[in-house]
Amino acid sequence: MKLTILGCYSATPRALNNTTSQVLEINNHMFLIDCGEGTQVQLRKHRIKFNRIKHIFISHLHGDHFFGLVGLISTFRLLTRETDLHIYGPKGIKEVITLQMKLADSWTNYNLIFHELTSKKTKLVFEDDKVVVHTIPLNHRVYTNGFLFKEKEGERKLDIVAVENANIDTAYFRKLKQGFDVENRDGVLIDNKKVTKPAKKPKSYAFCSDTMFKEDIVPIIKNVDVLYHESTFLEKHANLALKTKHSTAKEAAKIAKHANVGTLVLGHYSTRYDGLNAFKEEAQTVFDNVELSEDGKVFNF
């Protein structure tokens, strides 16, 4: 599982700071999460192949999370894209994007498929044979979702020596990988766990975009490997966090601790602060395993 941070600051882009956007690579998928202004420049800068992006997840309709989307859609058109592009986001995202395309007479030459979200409960929005994606309902000034990405349980691995010693015909190998007990050539039922090994533990990633402290998301993200949680403010500005419906670094750490996550990644920093170390230090008073997102930083989990 690879996470590339394209932008992780709040409000507006600056010379050295980009607004929210990131790429998650998980089980051969490449998901784009949020698309702040300048995202396609960052994609080029970090040599991420545009044609591998087939699904884009937008948390909410504040500009620092989606103003780069119509530009990216337009560039896909100019690159003569043919592959379908799926966009998941709040109701209204189709209207705002298609209006710009209509007025510019710049319709795509590929299928642009919108999945508009309205539910305030967690909902399955994507599934294939390898990965599932659910929404994480958040509490911000406008309708907002985070997204939970989870690998499905993989097939068990054959212990070839044990399989051969058990005298099992190759015709049953597929069943063994699927976890079934099978009969050997002598008609004896063989316990699956004696001739196979567990699949690699599925990985999971939770993206929690703009939100005030919201403890009821804990059951949704329980035990995820990695949690990205916004931390716009430090505790000394907790009054601003409450007023704007954002979180502090300490509040993000509380969510990570209660959910028993593996790693907490902080982001969406206000540029009122001179550096980022204070965010990490504050979060670590509550939760130990804390990382700081930074523009261009790559995490391999």
Side-chain angles (χ1 to χ4, degrees):
M1 187 168 66
K2 179 180 177 182
L3 179 67
T4 302
I5 306 296
L6 303 178
C8 60
Y9 285 80
S10 64
T12 62
R14 292 170 175 79
L16 299 176
N17 305 134
N18 290 278
T19 52
T20 303
S21 185
Q22 51 187 246
V23 171
L24 177 69
E25 296 177 59
I26 181 171
N27 214 323
N28 295 320
H29 284 288
M30 180 176 281
F31 296 126
L32 180 64
I33 309 171
D34 275 350
C35 191
E37 186 177 348
T39 292
Q40 62 176 309
V41 175
Q42 288 292 87
L43 288 169
R44 291 189 184 280
K45 182 178 179 180
H46 298 289
R47 301 180 181 276
I48 295 171
K49 294 181 179 179
F50 282 30
N51 60 2
R52 286 196 60 200
I53 298 172
K54 299 176 183 177
H55 302 270
I56 300 176
F57 297 85
I58 302 297
S59 61
H60 64 295
L61 295 181
H62 279 165
D64 54 335
H65 294 261
F66 89 104
F67 275 174
L69 183 57
V70 72
L72 183 60
I73 290 171
S74 178
T75 293
F76 283 152
R77 171 179 173 269
L78 295 174
L79 294 175
T80 64
R81 179 190 180 103
E82 296 180 355
T83 307
D84 293 353
L85 180 64
H86 293 262
I87 297 174
Y88 307 80
K91 184 175 176 59
I93 194 168
K94 180 178 180 179
E95 179 183 2
V96 72
I97 295 298
T98 54
L99 178 59
Q100 293 176 86
M101 295 164 61
K102 176 184 176 181
L103 295 177
D105 192 20
S106 298
W107 298 108
T108 61
N109 51 341
Y110 56 90
N111 291 323
L112 188 57
I113 304 165
F114 290 92
H115 305 263
E116 293 196 309
L117 308 173
T118 58
S119 177
K120 294 185 178 181
K121 296 182 179 180
T122 184
K123 181 180 178 181
L124 175 68
V125 292
F126 172 83
E127 180 177 18
D128 66 5
D129 59 342
K130 295 181 179 179
V131 176
V132 293
V133 183
H134 288 82
T135 58
I136 306 170
L138 300 176
N139 186 358
H140 192 40
R141 299 191 307 278
V142 296
Y143 176 75
T144 305
N145 285 299
F147 298 98
L148 173 62
F149 303 83
K150 297 182 73 173
E151 287 184 319
K152 288 185 175 180
E153 188 79 41
E155 292 185 333
R156 295 183 67 84
K157 307 296 182 183
L158 296 181
D159 182 337
I160 294 300
V161 173
V163 168
E164 291 176 349
N165 289 339
N167 197 26
I168 299 173
D169 192 281
T170 57
Y172 291 104
F173 283 10
R174 181 66 178 163
K175 284 287 187 182
L176 287 174
K177 290 179 180 180
Q178 293 173 340
F180 293 99
D181 298 338
V182 301
E183 289 186 355
N184 67 5
R185 292 184 177 90
D186 302 315
V188 177
L189 188 65
I190 304 299
D191 183 349
N192 184 279
K193 292 181 180 179
K194 292 184 177 180
V195 293
T196 66
K197 300 175 182 178
K200 184 171 65 173
K201 180 181 177 293
K203 293 185 178 180
S204 54
Y205 173 67
F207 170 82
C208 288
S209 175
D210 298 18
T211 184
M212 64 188 302
F213 182 74
K214 192 172 188 288
E215 198 166 7
D216 62 3
I217 68 172
V218 166
I220 302 173
I221 63 173
K222 195 76 173 178
N223 298 322
V224 297
D225 293 298
V226 184
L227 166 66
Y228 172 94
H229 195 290
E230 76 119 291
S231 54
T232 308
F233 297 104
L234 297 174
E235 277 294 303
K236 63 184 178 182
H237 292 121
N239 61 316
L240 292 179
L242 183 62
K243 179 180 179 180
T244 58
K245 289 197 170 184
H246 282 295
S247 296
T248 66
K250 188 173 183 178
E251 287 173 331
K254 287 179 180 178
I255 294 293
K257 182 178 181 179
H258 294 163
N260 192 39
V261 309
T263 301
L264 169 65
V265 179
L266 300 176
H268 200 265
Y269 317 108
S270 168
T271 53
R272 70 180 59 242
Y273 304 105
D274 293 332
L276 301 181
N277 285 339
F279 287 90
K280 186 172 185 178
E281 291 169 359
E282 182 174 287
Q284 285 182 324
T285 63
V286 175
F287 183 80
D288 291 333
N289 198 10
V290 179
E291 297 283 352
L292 294 171
S293 61
E294 297 181 57
D295 291 9
K297 192 170 183 177
V298 176
F299 297 95
N300 289 286
F301 297 101

